[in-house]
Amino acid sequence: MKKIVTGILTCCLALALAVPGFAGPQNRSAVFVLNQASYIMDNQTKMMDANSFMENNRVYVPVRYLALSLGVPE
């Protein structure tokens, strides 16, 4: 079990370090609103396939749309 958790954490860390490499030097702005299946990026409303939500004082946002808002190509 410890190896699985370590592997997952390693993958998450690698992804977190890789995201700034994909994102270009762009000034973007994104606003995710709780319990809505839409977000606002660069003053345009975009739809998501899942709602953002809060559980145990943590906010969960669909990773795909968070990555798109950071400039990661589709």
Side-chain angles (χ1 to χ4, degrees):
M1 180 70 173
K2 186 176 179 182
K3 289 182 181 181
I4 293 172
V5 172
T6 304
I8 291 172
L9 290 176
T10 303
C11 289
C12 290
L13 179 61
L15 179 62
L17 293 176
V19 168
F22 287 119
Q26 301 169 352
N27 293 328
R28 292 184 176 226
S29 141
V31 177
F32 292 86
V33 181
L34 285 176
N35 299 321
Q36 288 189 5
S38 63
Y39 67 103
I40 301 169
M41 186 172 79
D42 297 331
N43 296 325
Q44 295 179 352
T45 301
K46 303 202 178 216
M47 297 304 296
M48 300 186 289
D49 57 0
N51 290 348
S52 56
F53 64 95
M54 181 180 277
E55 185 175 307
N56 296 328
N57 292 327
R58 294 179 185 201
V59 176
Y60 293 88
V61 177
V63 174
R64 175 182 183 191
Y65 301 102
L66 181 60
L68 287 174
S69 71
L70 291 172
V72 177
E74 209 171 313

